[in-house]
Each structure stands twice: as C-alpha cells, then as structure tokens.
Amino acid sequence: MAVCVAVIAKENYPLYIKAASADSELKFYYTVHTSLDVIEEKVSSAGKNANELRELYLGLLYPTEDYKVYGYVTNTKIKFVIVVESSNSTLRDNEIRSMFKKLHNAYVDMLCNPFYTPGENITSKVFNNTVISMMQE
C-alpha cells in the first residue's frame, strides 16, 4: 500500500522515515520535506476557526505524477506523512484514515516506553514492524 511513511517532529525534523525501497529513499526524503509546507498551510488555515475541533487527518496534501502524499497531524503537532503510488487507485479515503490511525496508535505505544525520550529518532522495532506491515498490505 504505502511506499513511504514518515514521522516529523513539531520542529519539522524527521524522527522516522521508511521507504519501501532503499534505492528511492533520497527521493522520498525530498517528497516528505516538500509536504511540510502544505501541512503548515492546512494547519494554520484550520486554526483560524477556533470554534471547530481541528481534524487530525489532513487528507491529500498533493499528488505527483507517480505518487499521492497524505498528511496527519496529532494534537502535539507531530506530523505523519504517508506516500502511496498514484497507480493504486483502489485506495479509498477511509483506508488511508485507518492507516494513519494504525500509525498513530503505534506511535503512542512507542511513546509509552519509559526508555524513549520524546524528540529522539524512533528506533523501536515494534514501530518499525508496524510500518513495514503497512507497506506490505
């Protein structure tokens, strides 16, 4: 399903980036980095309406010729980015949402580890296995 999954800190540095193939990893670093501007724009425009609850799922950030980039922001401003192939048109919005929910739950479980310091790179094997399973579905 996913070809790249990234977790970005609230200060916009990567905590975790996993690409399906090591050959295209640098390309996905660039793709994730360029999506941060779109995320900030969507979050700031949603923040102007203070009466409404902010939606965590940002939806499609932007499509490219080969990929579609989706975003999600937690209440603590941690950003999740999932890149899927554009040719995979069978993915529905609710499937993308469930992928983000699964990723968010894995992230929260990883945060509960007393040996993890928030803000450090994510090295959890359980979190990594969850991401790999998302890429193989």
Side-chain angles (χ1 to χ4, degrees), residues 3 14 26 33 35-36 48-49 68 72 75 84 87 94 97 99 102 109 116 119 124 127 135:
V3 292
L26 185 61
H33 183 73
S35 69
L36 293 178
K48 293 176 183 174
N49 242 343
K68 290 183 180 177
Y72 183 96
N75 289 328
V84 297
S87 61
N94 61 349
R97 283 179 187 265
M99 288 173 66
K102 184 178 180 181
D109 289 344
Y116 176 74
S124 168
F127 184 83
M135 290 182 177

Short mmCIF file of all heavy atoms in Angstrom, two decimals, residues 3 14 26 33 35-36 48-49 68 72 75 84 87 94 97 99 102 109 116 119 124 127 135:
data_model
loop_
_atom_site.label_atom_id
_atom_site.label_comp_id
_atom_site.label_asym_id
_atom_site.label_seq_id
_atom_site.Cartn_x
_atom_site.Cartn_y
_atom_site.Cartn_z
N VAL A 3 4.32 3.47 0.08
CA VAL A 3 5.70 3.33 -0.40
C VAL A 3 6.67 4.10 0.49
O VAL A 3 7.87 3.88 0.43
CB VAL A 3 5.86 3.76 -1.87
CG1 VAL A 3 5.12 2.80 -2.78
CG2 VAL A 3 5.38 5.16 -2.09
N PRO A 14 12.93 15.17 10.86
CA PRO A 14 12.40 13.80 10.79
C PRO A 14 12.78 12.98 12.02
O PRO A 14 13.94 12.95 12.42
CB PRO A 14 13.03 13.23 9.53
CG PRO A 14 14.23 14.06 9.29
CD PRO A 14 13.96 15.41 9.87
N LEU A 26 16.18 8.67 -0.97
CA LEU A 26 16.50 10.11 -1.06
C LEU A 26 15.37 10.89 -1.71
O LEU A 26 15.02 11.99 -1.27
CB LEU A 26 17.80 10.32 -1.83
CG LEU A 26 18.31 11.75 -1.90
CD1 LEU A 26 18.59 12.29 -0.49
CD2 LEU A 26 19.55 11.84 -2.75
N HIS A 33 9.83 16.29 2.76
CA HIS A 33 10.23 17.64 3.13
C HIS A 33 9.36 18.69 2.44
O HIS A 33 8.97 19.68 3.06
CB HIS A 33 11.70 17.87 2.78
CG HIS A 33 12.22 19.20 3.18
ND1 HIS A 33 12.46 19.54 4.50
CD2 HIS A 33 12.52 20.30 2.45
CE1 HIS A 33 12.88 20.79 4.54
NE2 HIS A 33 12.93 21.27 3.31
N SER A 35 6.33 18.33 1.56
CA SER A 35 4.96 18.26 2.06
C SER A 35 4.78 19.07 3.35
O SER A 35 3.65 19.41 3.71
CB SER A 35 4.55 16.82 2.31
OG SER A 35 5.26 16.27 3.39
N LEU A 36 5.86 19.40 4.03
CA LEU A 36 5.76 20.14 5.29
C LEU A 36 5.15 21.52 5.10
O LEU A 36 4.40 21.99 5.97
CB LEU A 36 7.13 20.25 5.96
CG LEU A 36 7.72 18.93 6.45
CD1 LEU A 36 9.11 19.15 7.04
CD2 LEU A 36 6.81 18.26 7.44
N LYS A 48 -7.59 29.06 12.26
CA LYS A 48 -8.30 30.33 12.29
C LYS A 48 -9.73 30.16 12.79
O LYS A 48 -10.30 31.06 13.36
CB LYS A 48 -8.30 30.97 10.90
CG LYS A 48 -6.93 31.39 10.46
CD LYS A 48 -6.93 31.93 9.05
CE LYS A 48 -5.52 32.28 8.63
NZ LYS A 48 -5.45 32.68 7.23
N ASN A 49 -10.32 28.98 12.56
CA ASN A 49 -11.66 28.69 13.04
C ASN A 49 -11.53 28.01 14.40
O ASN A 49 -11.55 26.80 14.51
CB ASN A 49 -12.38 27.75 12.07
CG ASN A 49 -13.60 28.40 11.48
OD1 ASN A 49 -14.09 29.38 12.01
ND2 ASN A 49 -14.08 27.82 10.40
N LYS A 68 0.90 9.92 -4.45
CA LYS A 68 -0.02 10.81 -3.74
C LYS A 68 0.48 10.90 -2.31
O LYS A 68 0.83 9.89 -1.70
CB LYS A 68 -1.45 10.26 -3.77
CG LYS A 68 -2.08 10.31 -5.13
CD LYS A 68 -3.51 9.82 -5.08
CE LYS A 68 -4.13 9.90 -6.47
NZ LYS A 68 -5.49 9.37 -6.49
N TYR A 72 -1.25 13.93 8.26
CA TYR A 72 -1.98 13.77 9.51
C TYR A 72 -1.16 14.50 10.58
O TYR A 72 0.06 14.37 10.60
CB TYR A 72 -2.06 12.27 9.82
CG TYR A 72 -2.82 11.85 11.04
CD1 TYR A 72 -4.15 11.45 10.94
CD2 TYR A 72 -2.22 11.79 12.29
CE1 TYR A 72 -4.85 11.00 12.05
CE2 TYR A 72 -2.91 11.36 13.40
CZ TYR A 72 -4.22 10.96 13.27
OH TYR A 72 -4.93 10.52 14.37
N ASN A 75 -2.39 16.14 18.05
CA ASN A 75 -2.64 17.32 18.89
C ASN A 75 -1.35 17.93 19.42
O ASN A 75 -1.32 19.10 19.78
CB ASN A 75 -3.57 16.96 20.04
CG ASN A 75 -4.98 16.70 19.57
OD1 ASN A 75 -5.42 17.31 18.61
ND2 ASN A 75 -5.67 15.79 20.24
N VAL A 84 1.69 7.11 -1.16
CA VAL A 84 1.21 5.92 -1.86
C VAL A 84 1.37 6.14 -3.37
O VAL A 84 1.48 7.27 -3.83
CB VAL A 84 -0.27 5.60 -1.53
CG1 VAL A 84 -0.43 5.28 -0.05
CG2 VAL A 84 -1.18 6.73 -1.93
N SER A 87 -0.84 5.05 -9.07
CA SER A 87 -1.47 3.99 -9.85
C SER A 87 -2.37 3.11 -8.99
O SER A 87 -3.23 2.41 -9.50
CB SER A 87 -0.40 3.12 -10.52
OG SER A 87 0.41 2.51 -9.53
N ASN A 94 -11.18 6.30 3.49
CA ASN A 94 -11.28 5.65 4.80
C ASN A 94 -10.15 4.65 5.03
O ASN A 94 -9.75 4.42 6.17
CB ASN A 94 -12.65 5.00 4.99
CG ASN A 94 -12.95 3.93 3.97
OD1 ASN A 94 -12.23 3.78 2.98
ND2 ASN A 94 -14.02 3.19 4.20
N ARG A 97 -7.27 6.81 6.13
CA ARG A 97 -7.53 7.18 7.53
C ARG A 97 -7.18 6.05 8.48
O ARG A 97 -6.59 6.28 9.53
CB ARG A 97 -9.00 7.57 7.72
CG ARG A 97 -9.36 8.93 7.21
CD ARG A 97 -10.85 9.18 7.45
NE ARG A 97 -11.29 10.41 6.85
CZ ARG A 97 -11.38 11.57 7.50
NH1 ARG A 97 -11.08 11.63 8.77
NH2 ARG A 97 -11.79 12.64 6.88
N MET A 99 -5.01 3.72 7.98
CA MET A 99 -3.55 3.60 8.03
C MET A 99 -2.97 4.62 9.01
O MET A 99 -2.06 4.29 9.80
CB MET A 99 -2.96 3.81 6.64
CG MET A 99 -3.20 2.68 5.67
SD MET A 99 -2.66 3.05 4.00
CE MET A 99 -0.90 3.15 4.20
N LYS A 102 -3.71 3.53 12.57
CA LYS A 102 -2.80 2.45 12.96
C LYS A 102 -1.41 3.02 13.29
O LYS A 102 -0.78 2.62 14.27
CB LYS A 102 -2.73 1.43 11.81
CG LYS A 102 -1.90 0.23 12.09
CD LYS A 102 -1.97 -0.72 10.89
CE LYS A 102 -1.15 -1.95 11.09
NZ LYS A 102 -1.19 -2.85 9.93
N ASP A 109 1.95 3.92 21.44
CA ASP A 109 2.51 2.77 22.16
C ASP A 109 4.02 2.93 22.33
O ASP A 109 4.58 2.60 23.38
CB ASP A 109 2.21 1.47 21.42
CG ASP A 109 0.74 1.09 21.50
OD1 ASP A 109 0.02 1.66 22.36
OD2 ASP A 109 0.31 0.24 20.69
N TYR A 116 12.22 5.66 25.97
CA TYR A 116 12.22 6.56 24.82
C TYR A 116 12.12 8.00 25.30
O TYR A 116 11.26 8.34 26.11
CB TYR A 116 11.06 6.25 23.87
CG TYR A 116 10.97 7.23 22.72
CD1 TYR A 116 11.89 7.19 21.67
CD2 TYR A 116 10.00 8.23 22.70
CE1 TYR A 116 11.83 8.10 20.64
CE2 TYR A 116 9.94 9.14 21.66
CZ TYR A 116 10.86 9.07 20.63
OH TYR A 116 10.81 9.98 19.61
N GLY A 119 11.33 13.31 21.02
CA GLY A 119 12.18 14.17 20.22
C GLY A 119 13.38 13.47 19.63
O GLY A 119 14.04 14.00 18.75
N SER A 124 12.35 2.02 17.60
CA SER A 124 11.56 0.91 18.11
C SER A 124 11.34 -0.15 17.04
O SER A 124 10.88 0.16 15.93
CB SER A 124 10.21 1.42 18.62
OG SER A 124 9.33 0.35 18.87
N PHE A 127 7.50 -0.51 16.37
CA PHE A 127 7.01 0.55 15.50
C PHE A 127 7.45 0.30 14.06
O PHE A 127 6.65 0.43 13.12
CB PHE A 127 7.54 1.91 15.99
CG PHE A 127 7.02 3.08 15.20
CD1 PHE A 127 5.78 3.62 15.49
CD2 PHE A 127 7.75 3.64 14.17
CE1 PHE A 127 5.28 4.69 14.76
CE2 PHE A 127 7.27 4.71 13.44
CZ PHE A 127 6.02 5.24 13.74
N MET A 135 3.30 -1.22 4.64
CA MET A 135 3.84 -1.18 3.29
C MET A 135 3.56 -2.47 2.51
O MET A 135 3.55 -2.45 1.29
CB MET A 135 5.35 -0.92 3.34
CG MET A 135 5.69 0.45 3.79
SD MET A 135 7.47 0.70 3.77
CE MET A 135 7.57 2.40 4.25
#
